[in-house]
Amino acid sequence: MDSASNVMLPKKKKAWTQARVKNLGIDILIYAFILIVSLTCVLPFIHVASKSISSEAYVIANKIVLLPKGITFSAYKKIFADASIIRSLYVSVIVTVLFTILGMIITICAAYPLSRRDLKGRTVLTFLFMFTMYFAGGIIPEYLLMNQLGLLDSWAAMILPLAFSPYNLLIMKTSLQSSISDSLIEAAHLDGAGQIRILWSIVLPLSKPIIATLSLFYAVGRWNAYQDALFYIKQRTDLRPLQLKLYYLVVAATESFQAAVEGSAQLTNPEVLKASCIMFATIPIICVYPFVQKYFVQGTMIGAVKG
């Protein structure tokens, strides 16, 4: 018996070593894949950041890859030289905050009832919400509607139209179904709690990860958007958000650069200005991300593993 055990031990050790080598190879492939995907996100950002502080001569010659050359902040000075930039930044912050709050209120109030199995007709209602993801009226009907409602050149034009996302609703609904058990709701009902009390005292505290995740989705989407403001904000230039203001700034710089002649005053190259505008509009939202990163990771993993 002892001799048989001594023979089996090397075989087990060999099998364990092969399994370990195989797992190590798989781990290396996974880490290599994650590294490549990460680089595809980080390297373009570094390239744009380097271009924004590089000399125009190097940018025109396409010599900027990852490290800046001839460091200068002339493009950023041009941005801050426009006093309306601060006003546009203020408008973007206010619109983003109000838009995110309103969007989350609507999403939560719609997702919670649809996540409960005792709601009659919830399948039909969910289909109606999902239907809007595939079909839309188009830009012209939307503009005519905004005009008839008298929302042009107003704060509401940048907050109300996109304040609800069916995609975020479906994510919220699925999360509530997987994380909030029916027995917990029934227990709260037996204790005399109403639906509003259950939503406020039970559902929302247990849904912090998904709420933070969708809030980030709403905030980033609104912060980066400028097309609706381009259509709806015409007369009141004081309501132009930061992205729209930077868009006009880049367009003006491009036209001036193309019309410039030799011997005229030095003008900022549009490519440098575009890069600096991208950095100026991106940095604020990047500064917010670390504070919600923990909830963001938890929110995206909700429902992935169920015990």
Side-chain angles (χ1 to χ4, degrees), residues 152-169:
L152 297 180
D153 290 314
S154 66
W155 291 87
M158 296 179 289
I159 299 175
L160 296 181
L162 301 177
F164 174 74
S165 171
Y167 177 76
N168 292 340
L169 167 66

Side-chain angles (χ1 to χ4, degrees), residues 74-290:
S74 59
Y76 289 98
K77 292 179 182 179
K78 184 176 180 62
I79 292 176
F80 286 103
D82 191 347
S84 60
I85 290 289
I86 305 301
R87 169 68 183 180
S88 297
L89 179 62
Y90 167 78
V91 171
S92 289
V93 171
I94 297 299
V95 169
T96 300
V97 172
L98 295 179
F99 176 86
T100 303
I101 294 175
L102 180 61
M104 287 306 304
I105 291 175
I106 297 175
T107 301
I108 292 173
C109 292
Y112 173 66
L114 293 176
S115 66
R116 299 299 97 202
R117 297 179 180 178
D118 54 348
L119 177 65
K120 296 181 179 180
R122 68 170 188 156
T123 303
V124 177
L125 294 175
T126 303
F127 172 78
L128 293 177
F129 284 120
M130 188 172 61
F131 183 81
T132 61
M133 296 174 59
Y134 301 98
F135 300 96
I139 296 177
I140 296 178
E142 290 177 0
Y143 180 85
L144 295 177
L145 177 63
M146 297 291 291
N147 187 28
Q148 292 178 357
L149 295 176
L151 298 180
L152 297 180
D153 290 314
S154 66
W155 291 87
M158 296 179 289
I159 299 175
L160 296 181
L162 301 177
F164 174 74
S165 171
Y167 177 76
N168 292 340
L169 167 66
L170 296 178
I171 294 178
M172 188 75 180
K173 171 179 171 293
T174 304
S175 174
L176 294 181
Q177 286 177 337
S178 61
S179 60
I180 309 297
S181 63
D182 293 335
S183 59
L184 185 62
I185 303 298
E186 293 175 359
H189 276 302
L190 294 177
D191 291 338
Q195 293 293 348
I196 297 179
R197 179 64 182 273
I198 293 174
L199 176 63
W200 181 260
S201 301
I202 298 177
V203 176
L204 294 184
L206 295 177
S207 304
K208 289 181 180 179
I210 193 63
I211 291 176
T213 301
L214 296 184
S215 297
L216 185 63
F217 286 168
Y218 274 115
V220 173
R222 177 64 266 177
W223 182 267
N224 292 331
Y226 75 94
Q227 189 175 18
D228 54 346
L230 180 63
F231 295 149
Y232 304 145
I233 307 298
K234 293 296 183 181
Q235 303 297 328
R236 295 191 59 181
T237 57
D238 60 314
L239 289 183
R240 289 178 178 175
L242 178 63
Q243 288 70 21
L244 182 60
K245 184 66 179 178
L246 296 179
Y247 166 78
Y248 283 126
L249 185 63
V250 171
V251 170
T254 302
E255 294 176 351
S256 300
F257 185 81
Q258 292 175 349
V261 295
E262 295 184 1
S264 61
Q266 184 179 1
L267 297 172
T268 303
N269 184 270
E271 293 300 322
V272 179
L273 186 61
K274 289 178 184 178
S276 61
C277 289
I278 292 174
M279 296 301 301
F280 184 76
T282 305
I283 290 177
I285 204 69
I286 291 179
C287 294
V288 175
Y289 179 78

